[in-house]
Amino acid sequence: MASRRCPAGRELRRTIVKDRRRKDVSMSAAPIIVYVSCAESKEIHSLRLDAENGTLDPLEVVAVPGTDEPSPSNMPLAFGPGGQTLYAALRTAPFPVTAFAVDAASGRLSRRGTAPLPAPMAYISVGGNGRLLMGASYREGKLSVSRIGSDGNVQAPPTQVVTTPPKAHCILPGRSGEVVYATTLEGNAILIFRPDVKRGKLMPADVASVPCRSGSGPRHLALHPSLDVLYCVNEQGGTLAVFAIEPGTGALRDLQYETIMPPGFQGNARAADVHVTANGHFVYASVRSTDVIAGFRIDPRSGKLSPIGFFAAEGSPRGFAVDPLGRFLICGGQSQNTVAVHAIHPKSGALALRHRTSVGTNPNWVETLCLRVAP
């Protein structure tokens, strides 16, 4: 390591700082597109986020093909590697998933192809370095794996269908790609798999299932961007759980459970979604029974949580996202057909409403993408 008194070391540090500043300026200058899935109207609303004032400007509305019926409850979205492809899955037979090419300059969508999935999927994700589309079916208690071709289209039939305990709700690749996590509400557990990308299959890990505390009902998962930590929002218990990830094996050890409900609340919390800011400073969870988003500060060493507060959200906030720069939280109001933008205070993590706009019917899923800027 270069000494502080070494001219070469000082020059190296200046170069690193300059590179970081160039990267920050490049990202801040790049347009950010917000994609909102509207399940009943079977549309994806694309909006451009103003990174200075937090307003949303409509870009386009794209229909999602495949059935004549609305998608019950939700219509999950997932990006392929580099944000070049966006996938949308309908929950009405034949359960089609459509691949949309994303224009790198504008963020506009163009349909590539549509293929059937084996069940209605509440959640989809892309793994295996972009070669596999994975789904979790709440209604049928199944996980599925389908190949993705070189053209970005999902191939049928699936390479694997896995039966789980009832109400599978999420499937998420680990940060290294060596494990895959899935939740089962009625199984009250997080399932752990090892992906076999060549065969397109999920194999149970050595520790294949990690139980959650009684009455939790694990629903959605989120990874910390740098720590070996996994966050799980529990739908029935109204809690946010923190799990340490064992490096190499992907095994989980629970560290903490924090309530995301007001004192005295009883019944099904209907907690829904969870996301971590890109810098790893804050994590947020949405709760439909109280129409709030709960915020927490993340300890930079352990990943444990300390509460920030509860913030009013749109009606039935099923899905939300944090923009790639960590400046704004964008939340869909499932019962109000609206999307709201909340500014994230950089030091406290507190949310402040900046903008609200109407979208299609039943907005349930939000994704964001920072477009690439030509050098």
Side-chain angles (χ1 to χ4, degrees), residues 87-255:
Y87 299 91
L90 296 175
R91 296 179 71 178
T92 304
F95 317 124
V97 59
T98 298
F100 293 91
V102 181
D103 184 84
S106 68
R108 292 181 180 272
L109 304 177
S110 57
R111 183 161 63 95
R112 280 178 170 164
T114 300
L117 294 176
M121 299 300 171
Y123 197 108
I124 59 173
S125 62
V126 176
N129 295 318
R131 296 160 60 188
L132 302 176
L133 183 110
M134 302 178 292
S137 176
Y138 177 89
R139 195 175 78 186
E140 296 192 12
K142 293 177 180 177
L143 306 176
S144 73
V145 184
S146 302
R147 293 195 187 279
I148 296 175
S150 58
D151 58 359
N153 287 325
V154 177
Q155 299 175 351
T159 53
Q160 185 186 32
V161 177
V162 179
T163 299
T164 70
K167 298 183 179 179
H169 215 306
C170 174
I171 185 163
L172 182 73
R175 204 169 55 243
S176 67
E178 296 179 354
V179 295
V180 170
Y181 299 101
T183 59
T184 161
L185 259 76
E186 288 196 1
N188 201 48
I190 300 173
L191 310 178
I192 309 174
F193 299 90
R194 291 277 184 182
D196 184 331
V197 178
K198 289 184 178 180
R199 297 170 59 207
K201 294 184 181 296
L202 299 175
M203 310 303 294
D206 291 340
V207 179
S209 179
V210 176
C212 296
R213 293 183 183 178
S214 178
S216 292
R219 179 184 168 97
H220 279 195
L221 303 170
L223 292 160
H224 191 279
S226 58
L227 300 176
D228 289 321
V229 172
L230 179 75
Y231 300 96
C232 177
V233 64
N234 295 305
E235 177 174 334
Q236 297 164 341
T239 56
L240 184 59
V242 186
F243 292 87
I245 301 173
E246 180 67 29
T249 68
L252 301 176
R253 173 173 53 88
D254 73 271
L255 297 176

Side-chain angles (χ1 to χ4, degrees), residues 26-39:
S26 175
M27 286 192 67
S28 63
I32 296 173
I33 307 299
V34 176
Y35 299 93
V36 181
S37 161
C38 298

Side-chain angles (χ1 to χ4, degrees), residues 2 9 31 37 68 71-72 81 97 122 132 143 174 207 220 248 254 278 286 290 324 342 345 353 369 375:
S37 161
D68 294 329
S71 182
V97 59
L132 302 176
L143 306 176
V207 179
H220 279 195
D254 73 271
S286 62
T290 56
H342 302 260
H345 192 281
L353 179 65
L369 178 66

